Amino acid sequence: MKIALIVPVYNEEEALPVFWQAVEPVLQKENGFRFEYIFVNDGSTDGTLPYLKDLSARNKYVKVISLSRNFGKEAALTAGLNEAVQADAAIVMDADLQDPPELIPAFLEKFKEGYDVVYGTRQNRQTDSGLKRISANAFYKFYNFISTRPMPENAGDCRLISQRVVQALLQLPERERFMKGLFNWVGFKSVSIPFVRQARQAGKTKWNYWRLWNFALEGITASTTIPLRLWTYFGFSVSLFAFLYALWVAAKKIIFGNPVSGYSSLMVAILFFSGVQLISLGVIGEYLGRTFMEVKQRPLYIIDEKINCQ
Ligand code: UDP
Ligand code: MG
């Protein structure tokens, strides 16, 4: 059976040699499988590409897809999946060894048992900062609260997927690719393997909180329209309240006359509802912008160079 190991890399010149040294022996020990590596160079500006070229010149089973610029991990993963259509299964893994290579034999074991999706679930987030832990937790809770298809918490991108799942994923045409959500959406028989996520072995993380926030927004808008519909209900509630309040004000006027007051309540109401309207416009804008990006139908990524690929 043929297994493709897909690794998206962006400026990982420090991590890649460590990665290769750790993963290659693990794969060597696995009998009964033929492995190929698919490194997707996501527009690295350091020595990543030369390193990969060297590696692929020495090993024919190391494929390299080099993108024309940085398209983001999600696009890079898709490029890798596109190249994995001949494998029986694909394993997706980061280059920084945060997902331990020991997961691979465990994944393969479950694959042999007949599972289509085997994913690693983080047992704890000890290697994360406090804020990262809280925000990640809040994201999963919120996502699962509003999403029609809840997602397993703390499951990373690191997983094995069978060829059927690869095909299913490649059928999803969207440009904004929130892979976690897509993996989850396609379904199939899945099993999770708990693991402890290590600290990054070398190099630097590509994430900061602004990127994470946008990533979370993308995840939510990509999988549910509830934020859009919320405003309908909010609007109805406010209208009902306004109607009742109007009755009360009218009654007060008839009974007690009108002692012109209420400037502050008027001001508060105006400011509050202007704010609410702007927020709802913003939510519409988020979806409209994404719709715009989708209808343009641009390719997800542009390939600059392919090495050892068919
Ligand atoms: N990565 C990528 N393109 C990007 C950012 C990251 O291909 O624009 C790769 C990166 O090289 C690594 C993986 O995605 O192999 C995960 O990145 P990182 O370790 O920075 O994310 P974290 O583990 O902190 O979530
Ligand atoms: Mg990492």
Side-chain angles (χ1 to χ4, degrees):
M1 276 200 282
K2 196 166 155 193
I3 310 286
L5 190 70
I6 302 174
V7 189
V9 286
Y10 175 48
N11 291 347
E12 301 282 10
E13 63 176 358
E14 284 153 44
L16 272 177
V18 193
F19 174 84
W20 182 256
Q21 255 160 33
V23 173
E24 180 63 0
V26 175
L27 297 195
Q28 293 286 354
K29 268 187 269 164
E30 285 296 326
N31 298 317
F33 292 103
R34 266 191 313 129
F35 289 96
E36 64 178 19
Y37 292 79
I38 302 174
F39 287 102
V40 185
N41 170 36
D42 188 14
S44 304
T45 50
D46 63 356
T48 298
L49 187 58
Y51 177 84
L52 289 177
K53 280 188 170 166
D54 185 49
L55 200 63
S56 57
R58 283 184 283 123
N59 304 287
K60 284 289 155 238
Y61 53 94
V62 172
K63 300 180 170 184
V64 180
I65 304 170
S66 191
L67 306 184
S68 61
R69 64 167 170 85
N70 181 252
F71 281 91
K73 180 181 171 184
E74 318 280 300
L77 270 182
T78 310
L81 288 175
N82 258 316
E83 196 56 44
V85 285
Q86 266 151 31
D88 293 293
I91 297 179
V92 176
M93 208 167 216
D94 289 355
D96 55 6
L97 292 178
Q98 285 195 279
D99 316 309
E102 295 74 53
L103 275 176
I104 297 175
F107 280 3
L108 293 171
E109 208 51 49
K110 291 287 176 196
F111 177 56
K112 277 192 274 189
E113 282 174 29
Y115 287 97
D116 280 292
V117 181
V118 193
Y119 58 93
T121 305
R122 300 177 66 166
Q123 272 180 325
N124 59 48
R125 286 184 170 261
Q126 248 138 44
T127 49
D128 282 354
S129 70
L131 185 57
K132 177 86 187 281
R133 270 204 294 260
I134 293 168
S135 53
N137 193 32
F139 169 74
Y140 282 113
K141 287 280 178 311
F142 184 69
Y143 184 96
N144 285 339
F145 178 63
I146 65 170
S147 168
T148 43
R149 196 175 152 70
M151 176 159 72
E153 284 186 37
N154 295 323
D157 279 345
C158 178
R159 60 186 67 209
L160 175 146
I161 52 179
S162 67
Q163 186 53 238
R164 297 200 291 165
V165 183
V166 173
Q167 292 301 335
L169 283 170
L170 292 177
Q171 274 175 37
L172 305 181
E174 51 251 76
R175 270 106 255 280
E176 302 257 350
R177 294 182 90 75
F178 181 69
M179 283 313 258
K180 262 188 236 244
L182 300 188
F183 282 141
N184 186 41
W185 186 86
V186 294
F188 288 105
K189 197 175 164 200
S190 313
V191 62
S192 113
I193 290 180
F195 76 105
V196 178
R197 194 162 154 100
Q198 312 295 317
R200 189 177 240 284
Q201 295 298 303
K204 280 203 294 284
T205 177
K206 312 297 177 305
W207 295 95
N208 55 40
Y209 282 106
W210 179 240
R211 261 185 105 162
L212 276 176
W213 163 251
N214 282 311
F215 190 55
L217 272 188
E218 192 176 314
I220 286 162
T221 51
S223 24
T224 172
T225 51
I226 285 183
L228 276 175
R229 291 163 50 201
L230 215 66
W231 299 102
T232 318
Y233 299 101
F234 188 72
F236 271 122
S237 326
V238 169
S239 306
L240 182 68
F241 173 77
F243 180 70
L244 296 176
Y245 185 65
L247 287 183
W248 187 69
V249 170
K252 223 172 82 168
K253 162 86 175 71
I254 293 164
I255 300 165
F256 302 111
N258 186 6
V260 185
S261 74
Y263 168 77
S264 32
S265 55
L266 210 61
M267 203 59 197
V268 168
I270 290 175
L271 288 179
F272 176 72
F273 289 109
S274 326
V276 165
Q277 280 175 6
L278 284 178
I279 296 173
S280 64
L281 267 181
V283 173
I284 297 173
E286 284 288 337
Y287 281 90
L288 186 65
R290 279 159 223 276
T291 311
F292 178 60
M293 297 313 275
E294 294 294 337
V295 295
K296 281 202 279 191
Q297 293 280 307
R298 287 194 181 164
L300 280 167
Y301 52 83
I302 305 283
I303 295 176
D304 177 27
E305 197 180 347
K306 278 184 171 188
I307 304 167
N308 288 349
C309 299
Q310 277 89 22

